[in-house]
């Protein structure tokens, strides 16, 4: 069935065919039998239940993963390549179903969810190509020794998945882990448990051996905490908030477990007056309203040369007003906020800005799907003329809320761009190549794009500096977390 047919069936009351157990050792198990409701943010009501695991389910998953590691690390790299290619094909074959599940579970639009699924397939394809190229190097110690390095898998890897990109964050960690010869225990977020479970089943049916991918659903403070604390875990890939990132780091410390941290951001889009004004406005709107602003790398700060202010604010007001929104399956411009808890956080940020007398030139309020009057939505919002220390500039709001700051000189622009605790992403808009290169050099972040906010792909490394975290995912660098180097030295005589 196509995604359109599946979407129509769901909106007409047909329930989605969803697993409600954990995926351990290649099959669904009910575990302790505890269940929790999952909500459709586009409607604001529960649509399914899922299993709530704890320490026992994590123990079973880790036992399975450790056993599978002893087999998977010995599988010939070219066989791992073949299996990962089959995974990419299987994800594409199941793209319609996965995209509909992701839309209903997360609140995002169907097009966004389909993009995430296709991107996930591409991650498996990309890392399939890397699995048989993880070579070491020969080291010259002189005539008496032969020395070389081996690039070996780190072991069992834990993946703590957030709710804003459940499908692609799962694939972003699992694909390179599998390519490297590692096994996986994943814990999806409590508001988006389903796509990781369904993907684990699809990937196992495509040829990933039983036990290589395990998924335990449940609460962060129970299942998540039990997973990251366990000494059988050799690497943790965590994506989520700074606060939880700190808690995970502390839990991992006694075992000296390796970590990749993908935390928040407050990423700037810096525009100079020589840039194409329409392109700046279109990119600024896309950078903050895509996925309803629930993106770690969202362009949540627009930093513009003072002379552009009035024309650009007019354009942005128009763009914000033109954004259509509604249930993700109706596939308009913008979907829902993932949970009423998170909607409340966005409201408290914007209400505080209102109380401070900030200049809100667009949006600023909770809204609903105009067709049904239901769901958790927030208006596309622009707050103009903010000082560098305003909380709306400094704090991650993680919603469709853009803050605007003005500058007069290039030095000021750099200072403002680097003026938060974060360092994930940045974009520069200018026609001056020299200035673009200077800005790319001076901005302190994991990635900088020029004249196109979202320029990138699975081939490019992604990650942050400072409180945005450390380590890199995607690209060839994405394999570093899952491999370790062993030096072997042989005396020749
Ligand atoms: P969170 O950081 O609490 O949740 C992320 C994941 O961590 C979930 O799977 C959760 O179950 C798990 N988790 C929670 N506590 C844990 C623990 N003690 N040990 C192990 N795992 C644990 O995120 P949240 O509270 O749902 O969202 C709050 C804020 O996080 C947002 O406002 C946003 O700023 C940020 N966020 C960032 C990203 C990102 O991509 N960087 C994604 C989601 C949320």
């Amino acid at each position: 069935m196509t995604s359109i047919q599946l979407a129509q069936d769901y909106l007409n009351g047909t329930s989605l065919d969803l697993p409600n157990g954990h995926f351990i050792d290649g099959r669904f198990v009910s575990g302790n039998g505890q269940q929790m409701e999952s909500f459709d943010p586009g409607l604001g009501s529960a649509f399914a239940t899922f299993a709530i695991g704890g320490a026992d389910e994590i123990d079973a998953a880790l036992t399975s993963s450790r056993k599978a590691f002893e087999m998977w690390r010995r599988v010939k790299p070219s066989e791992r390549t073949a299996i990962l290619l089959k995974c990419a094909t299987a994800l594409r074959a199941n793209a319609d179903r996965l995209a509909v599940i992701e839309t209903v579970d997360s609140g995002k639009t169907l097009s966004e969810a389909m993009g995430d699924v296709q991107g996930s397939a591409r991650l498996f394809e990309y890392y399939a190509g890397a699995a048989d190229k993880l070579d070491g190097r020969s080291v010259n110690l002189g005539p008496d020794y032969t020395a070389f390095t081996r690039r070996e898998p780190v072991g069992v890897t834990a993946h703590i998945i957030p709710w804003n990109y459940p499908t692609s964050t799962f694939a972003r960690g699992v694909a390179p882990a599998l390519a490297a010869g590692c096994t996986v225990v994943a814990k999806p977020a409590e508001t988006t448990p389903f796509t990781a479970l369904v993907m684990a089943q699809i990937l196992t049916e495509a040829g990933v051996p039983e036990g290589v991918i395990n998924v335990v659903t449940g609460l962060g403070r129970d299942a998540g905490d039990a997973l990251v604390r366990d000494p059988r875990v050799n690497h943790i890939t965590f994506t989520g908030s700074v606060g939880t990132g700190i808690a995970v780091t502390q839990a991992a410390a006694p075992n000296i477990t390796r970590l990749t941290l993908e935390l928040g951001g407050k990423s700037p889009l810096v525009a100079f007056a020589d840039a194409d004004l329409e392109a700046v406005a279109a990119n600024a709107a896309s950078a903050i309203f895509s996925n309803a602003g629930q993106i770690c790398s969202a362009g949540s700060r627009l930093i513009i040369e003072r002379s552009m202010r009035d024309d650009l604010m007019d354009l942005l007001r128009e763009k914000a007003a033109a954004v259509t929104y509604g249930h993700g399956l109706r596939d308009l411009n913008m979907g829902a906020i993932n949970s009423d808890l998170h909607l409340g956080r966005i409201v408290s940020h914007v209400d505080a800005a209102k109380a401070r007398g900030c200049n809100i030139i667009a949006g600023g309020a909770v809204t609903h799907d105009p067709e049904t009057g239901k769901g958790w939505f927030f208006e596309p919002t622009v707050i103009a003329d903010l000082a560098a220390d305003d909380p709306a500039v400094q704090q991650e709001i993680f919603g469709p809320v853009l803050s605007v700051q003005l500058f007069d000189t290039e030095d000021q622009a750099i200072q403002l761009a680097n003026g938060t605790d974060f360092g994930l992403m940045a974009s520069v808009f200018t026609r001056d190549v020299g200035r673009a290169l200077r800005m790319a050099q001076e901005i302190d972040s994991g990635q900088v794009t020029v004249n196109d906010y979202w320029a990138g792909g699975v081939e490019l490394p992604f990650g942050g500096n400072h409180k945005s975290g450390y380590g890199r995912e995607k690209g060839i660098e994405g394999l570093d977390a899952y491999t370790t180097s062993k030096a072997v030295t042989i005396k020749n005589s």
Side-chain angles (χ1 to χ4, degrees):
M1 270 213 270
T2 67
S3 58
I4 307 293
Q5 289 165 322
L6 285 163
Q8 267 161 6
D9 284 357
Y10 171 79
L11 291 173
N12 290 334
T14 308
S15 64
L16 295 168
D17 179 21
L18 294 167
N20 70 349
H22 311 283
F23 192 80
I24 299 177
D25 229 16
R27 63 196 175 91
F28 287 109
V29 298
S30 54
N32 59 24
Q34 279 184 44
Q35 297 273 312
M36 197 169 129
E37 285 180 324
S38 192
F39 287 78
D40 173 347
L43 289 172
S45 52
F47 74 100
T49 61
F50 66 100
I52 295 295
D56 290 345
E57 289 72 22
I58 291 293
D59 178 59
L62 282 170
T63 303
S64 162
S65 260
R66 277 244 72 91
K67 184 164 158 250
F69 177 63
E70 293 310 319
M71 170 277 302
W72 185 240
R73 73 186 177 93
R74 292 181 172 87
V75 168
K76 256 175 71 174
S78 58
E79 275 177 43
R80 290 207 290 266
T81 291
I83 291 172
L84 263 65
L85 283 174
K86 284 184 190 155
C87 288
T89 303
L91 289 175
R92 289 198 177 105
N94 285 277
D96 288 285
R97 179 169 173 239
L98 278 167
V100 169
I101 295 170
E102 187 74 321
T103 301
V104 174
D105 210 14
S106 72
K108 63 178 66 197
T109 68
L110 188 57
S111 294
E112 285 167 339
M114 187 56 91
D116 294 354
V117 176
Q118 297 295 347
S120 299
R122 177 77 191 105
L123 279 158
F124 276 87
E125 197 170 64
Y126 179 81
Y127 286 110
D132 56 358
K133 297 169 191 72
L134 290 169
D135 302 325
R137 66 191 178 97
S138 166
V139 181
N140 188 349
L141 294 181
D144 297 335
Y145 293 94
T146 301
F148 59 93
T149 63
R150 287 171 50 81
R151 209 164 166 195
E152 298 187 342
V154 295
V156 172
T157 61
H159 301 251
I160 304 285
I161 314 289
W163 42 259
N164 57 337
Y165 281 90
T167 301
S168 41
T169 311
F170 178 84
R172 192 168 81 179
V174 172
L178 263 52
C182 296
T183 55
V184 164
V185 178
K187 209 296 285 170
E190 33 282 76
T191 58
T192 51
F194 290 115
T195 44
L197 290 168
V198 175
M199 284 168 85
Q201 184 183 31
I202 290 168
L203 300 176
T204 302
E205 285 170 3
V208 175
E210 291 165 7
V212 171
I213 304 175
N214 293 290
V215 178
V216 175
T217 52
L219 303 179
R221 63 169 184 268
D222 296 331
D225 182 67
L227 178 59
V228 297
R229 250 172 225 291
D230 199 291
R232 290 171 289 178
V233 172
N234 302 106
H235 182 92
I236 299 164
T237 297
F238 172 80
T239 308
S241 63
V242 176
T244 307
I246 293 169
V248 167
T249 307
Q250 287 168 339
N255 301 316
I256 323 286
T257 309
R258 300 157 52 124
L259 283 160
T260 300
L261 297 176
E262 294 281 9
L263 308 177
K266 195 75 189 179
S267 301
L269 187 163
V270 183
F272 289 87
D274 67 344
D276 175 340
L277 200 68
E278 175 57 39
V280 173
N283 275 272
S286 164
I288 190 65
F289 302 141
S290 299
N291 216 41
Q294 302 160 108
I295 312 181
C296 50
S297 54
S300 49
R301 290 188 297 142
L302 179 62
I303 301 176
I304 56 172
E305 198 161 347
R306 193 175 300 274
S307 60
M308 308 167 80
R309 191 232 174 251
D310 292 350
D311 290 345
L312 194 52
M313 291 308 100
D314 286 347
L315 274 177
L316 269 176
R317 208 181 277 117
E318 279 171 28
K319 297 231 174 275
V323 171
T324 57
Y325 52 83
H327 193 289
L329 290 180
R330 297 209 288 122
D331 210 17
L332 301 169
N333 299 149
M334 195 175 84
I337 301 302
N338 178 249
S339 66
D340 57 348
L341 175 73
H342 189 59
L343 181 61
R345 290 183 193 130
I346 297 171
V347 170
S348 66
H349 280 289
V350 175
D351 282 355
K354 285 179 186 164
R356 289 194 300 278
C358 292
N359 183 15
I360 299 180
I361 64 161
V366 166
T367 183
H368 305 286
D369 181 332
E371 194 169 289
T372 62
K374 294 178 182 172
W376 302 319
F377 294 84
F378 198 83
E379 291 174 348
T381 298
V382 181
I383 314 180
D385 311 315
L386 287 165
D389 61 353
D390 191 277
V393 166
Q394 293 297 326
Q395 295 168 0
E396 189 180 38
I397 299 174
F398 222 65
V401 181
L402 179 66
S403 73
V404 184
Q405 300 168 264
L406 306 178
F407 69 85
D408 295 300
T409 66
E410 192 176 309
D411 281 350
Q412 272 177 7
I414 294 166
Q415 223 176 353
L416 292 178
N418 290 339
T420 71
D421 290 342
F422 299 101
L424 187 55
M425 162 105 184
S427 194
V428 181
F429 280 69
T430 178
R431 288 191 170 104
D432 180 336
V433 177
R435 175 187 275 155
L437 290 171
R438 286 194 298 278
M439 293 295 291
Q441 194 169 295
E442 292 304 319
I443 292 179
D444 188 356
S445 64
Q447 39 273 310
V448 180
T449 58
V450 177
N451 292 337
D452 180 6
Y453 190 84
W454 292 118
V458 304
E459 303 85 351
L460 272 173
F462 178 82
N465 298 344
H466 310 289
K467 284 195 176 162
S468 293
Y470 50 75
R472 293 291 179 265
E473 296 190 271
K474 305 199 300 177
I476 289 298
E477 290 84 345
L479 290 155
D480 293 347
Y482 303 106
T483 57
T484 186
S485 171
K486 180 187 280 174
V488 180
T489 316
I490 304 155
K491 193 167 189 318
N492 291 339
S493 56

